Amino acid sequence: MFKGLQPVLYGGREVYPLVEGGKGVSATNHASSGAWAAAGGIGTVSAVNADSYDPEGRIIPQVYSGMTRRQRHDELIHYGIEGAVAQVERAYELAGGKGAININVLWEMGGAQPILHGVLERTRGKVAGVTCGAGMPYKLSEIAAQYGVQYLPIVSSGRAFRALWKRAYSKVPELLGAVVYEDPWLAGGHNGLSNAEDPRKPQDPYPRVAELRVVMREGGVPDTVPIVMAGGVWRLDEWEDWIDNPELGSIMFQFGTRPLLTQESPIPPEWKARLMTLEEGDVLLHKFSPTGFYSSAVRNPFLRWLEARSERQIAFTKESIGDHAFELDVGIGTKKNYWVTKGDLQHAREWFAQGYINAMKTPDDTLVFVTPEDEKIIRKDQADCMGCLSQCAFSSWADNEKNSTGRLADPRSFCIQKALQNIAHGEPVDENLMFAGHAAFRFKQDPFYSNGFVPTVKQLVDRILTGA
């Protein structure tokens, strides 16, 4: 084992301080998390729209038949509970009594609380802890206490943890299993950048984690409660000064990207092959997600399509005001008046000539120019919404009495449920959202993966334990 690294007591047994990241929609399942636990670490089942199975073991397609979004939302919750329960049960069996099994949920996912209750009620004794981020999960400790499991909030700053601790977690301190620091510039998936932080200026994680430990100590949290470093973790020898460091206290490490490329990883072969080809800078920190959060994904043709769509965008006014003195004469197909600048009028005419003949309004009083085919896809995806998020910019769904954000649906975004389900179940990687951490380019550089070698989870964990 790498020098200084020590097992920690978690879930009633000693485990390696190595946590598998619980990656979104079906990118982490029972096979990978069960194997990670069997290797002595903490495996993490993704409880976000997880797959369930028929009696023959085939994945049950998540088909929605409800006529209304609310009806489809209820179906989503049902699928979410059944899928997560199936994944936990299989992972627990694969673990064979070794390591530990956590589940991961997004606080801002649709139906997060009923899904958590439904899963934890049916998996008593099999789930050691719940990791949860993507928002401020104030009720996480309260829910964990009802089922006697540990809770592991995901935060990106000491300030965020302080707010959670003061409002709720201080009431259930004994079940705080760890605090996950997810670096907002390095982690894959959704990132917790605040308005005060510049997405183009990454900060060193060490002082941010040291500050988090100070905040935890102020709240009376003992140093034996680990901080889990998540985002950008590849080799332990690069984090040597973090291990057995009195300033940081107990430290664990979360691996999100590396477990994607294992034999047990459920992602399709095309996705695994693409990971082997990535160069530094191929993962983009962007803000196209309908959650409103920044997120990190491979800059494939799908993301470039979203980038290009937003670039074909102009501001308008309903009256001739200032520079907006030129009436738009292309791209609308209605009798309404849209006033734009001279330069934007020229842009609109150029886009129209290129086939982007339909203009779609955004909530920000702009128009984006798209092809008729693209508008048809956007409209259909918006109409098919099943409320997979607590609120969605793309469809204007919100989990409230009116089931609406009260804002115009935003055509610059996309249906994240569709894109993630598609790529996880074998649809072309170039046409869907491909989450990855910013260290994914290292697959191509790391000699461990030379000649296309894909390790088992056990081989990967053994490799990590050497420091490499």
Side-chain angles (χ1 to χ4, degrees):
M1 190 184 300
F2 185 66
K3 58 184 178 180
L5 197 69
Q6 297 293 330
V8 297
L9 190 64
Y10 182 83
R13 61 172 64 97
E14 281 195 346
V15 300
Y16 294 133
L18 308 178
V19 183
E20 176 198 26
K23 297 169 287 297
V25 175
S26 301
T28 300
N29 73 351
H30 68 277
S32 57
S33 54
W36 192 275
I42 300 174
T44 308
V45 167
S46 171
V48 183
N49 304 122
D51 288 330
S52 52
Y53 306 92
D54 67 15
E56 282 72 46
R58 293 171 300 210
I59 293 173
I60 297 173
Q62 295 190 13
V63 178
Y64 295 86
S65 57
M67 297 297 292
T68 67
R69 286 181 178 178
R70 172 51 66 178
Q71 289 170 340
R72 295 193 293 274
H73 181 69
D74 291 341
E75 293 177 79
L76 176 101
I77 292 173
H78 171 76
Y79 281 131
I81 294 171
E82 295 300 318
V85 168
Q87 297 298 335
V88 167
E89 289 177 341
R90 290 174 176 229
Y92 185 79
E93 186 175 338
L94 285 171
K98 299 177 182 177
I101 298 294
N102 282 354
I103 62 172
N104 177 67
V105 296
L106 308 177
W107 194 246
E108 295 298 332
M109 76 181 191
Q113 293 186 58
I115 288 172
L116 259 180
H117 282 290
V119 175
L120 293 174
E121 175 63 39
R122 291 170 54 185
T123 57
R124 290 178 183 271
K126 297 177 180 178
V127 172
V130 181
T131 55
C132 185
M136 293 293 280
Y138 290 110
K139 293 189 177 180
L140 179 61
S141 56
E142 176 188 326
I143 294 171
Q146 292 182 45
Y147 302 96
V149 300
Q150 298 184 79
Y151 62 100
L152 299 83
I154 301 172
V155 299
S156 59
S157 68
R159 181 171 50 84
F161 180 75
R162 179 182 283 114
L164 291 166
W165 180 260
K166 286 186 173 180
R167 179 166 168 180
Y169 295 173
S170 59
K171 300 172 185 175
V172 194
E174 70 280 3
L175 290 178
L176 180 64
V179 179
V180 182
Y181 169 79
E182 188 174 74
D183 190 87
W185 293 277
L186 296 173
H190 289 100
N191 306 77
L193 278 166
S194 73
N195 293 332
E197 293 159 338
D198 189 337
R200 297 161 298 181
K201 295 181 179 178
Q203 296 179 16
D204 180 357
Y206 185 95
R208 293 172 67 91
V209 172
E211 179 196 17
L212 172 59
R213 178 59 75 184
V214 168
V215 172
M216 291 169 67
R217 287 169 178 156
E218 288 173 355
V221 179
D223 280 11
T224 51
V225 174
I227 293 175
V228 182
M229 175 59 205
V233 180
W234 193 267
R235 303 168 56 110
L236 290 181
D237 59 10
E238 296 168 342
W239 303 84
E240 185 174 355
D241 60 338
W242 288 50
I243 298 170
D244 198 23
N245 182 327
E247 185 177 21
L248 300 181
S250 178
I251 288 286
M252 299 170 71
F253 297 93
Q254 180 168 301
F255 294 81
T257 297
R258 284 190 82 172
L260 283 170
L261 196 57
T262 60
Q263 296 288 340
E264 293 90 344
S265 169
I267 67 173
E270 186 188 6
W271 190 346
K272 292 182 181 181
R274 183 61 57 84
L275 290 172
M276 293 280 206
T277 70
L278 297 178
E279 303 283 353
E280 189 168 5
D282 280 351
V283 173
L284 177 70
L285 182 63
H286 65 90
K287 209 172 185 185
F288 294 113
S289 171
T291 61
F293 294 113
Y294 279 93
S295 65
S296 295
V298 175
R299 192 169 179 261
N300 62 359
F302 176 76
L303 267 194
R304 290 198 293 271
W305 175 63
L306 290 172
E307 288 179 286
R309 185 195 301 170
S310 279
E311 288 167 2
R312 294 190 304 272
Q313 182 174 188
I314 58 175
F316 70 87
T317 58
K318 287 297 188 73
E319 298 175 354
S320 177
I321 303 172
D323 291 343
H324 287 70
F326 298 84
E327 191 169 9
L328 187 64
D329 56 8
V330 294
I332 299 299
T334 71
K335 301 295 183 182
K336 294 179 180 178
N337 294 328
Y338 290 86
W339 297 87
V340 299
T341 66
K342 184 177 182 179
D344 282 345
L345 177 60
Q346 183 60 37
H347 288 315
R349 288 172 174 172
E350 291 170 358
W351 297 328
F352 189 87
Q354 294 167 9
Y356 302 103
I357 63 175
N358 290 16
M360 302 184 72
K361 287 178 65 176
T362 78
D364 301 319
D365 289 337
T366 63
L367 298 166
V368 290
F369 284 74
V370 299
T371 65
E373 294 77 17
D374 282 349
E375 180 174 11
K376 186 176 180 181
I377 293 170
I378 292 167
R379 298 292 189 200
K380 183 179 188 306
D381 287 347
Q382 289 173 335
D384 289 345
C385 175
M386 74 294 289
C388 74
L389 301 171
S390 63
Q391 54 182 7
C392 174
F394 178 66
S395 68
S396 78
W397 157 272
D399 190 7
N400 56 29
E401 288 183 9
K402 295 183 178 180
N403 292 146
S404 173
T405 61
R407 287 171 58 83
L408 188 68
D410 195 336
R412 296 167 295 187
S413 190
F414 62 99
C415 177
I416 196 166
Q417 166 84 349
K418 173 186 171 183
L420 292 176
Q421 287 282 4
N422 281 353
I423 194 170
H425 295 100
E427 295 295 319
V429 297
D430 282 349
E431 297 174 15
N432 293 288
L433 184 65
M434 185 180 175
F435 277 147
H438 288 259
F441 70 93
R442 299 183 67 169
F443 283 120
K444 189 175 181 179
Q445 300 178 352
D446 193 327
F448 186 53
Y449 302 95
S450 59
N451 299 315
F453 175 65
V454 178
T456 63
V457 167
K458 179 68 165 60
Q459 288 172 322
L460 174 60
V461 172
D462 287 346
R463 174 79 170 188
I464 290 169
L465 286 170
T466 68

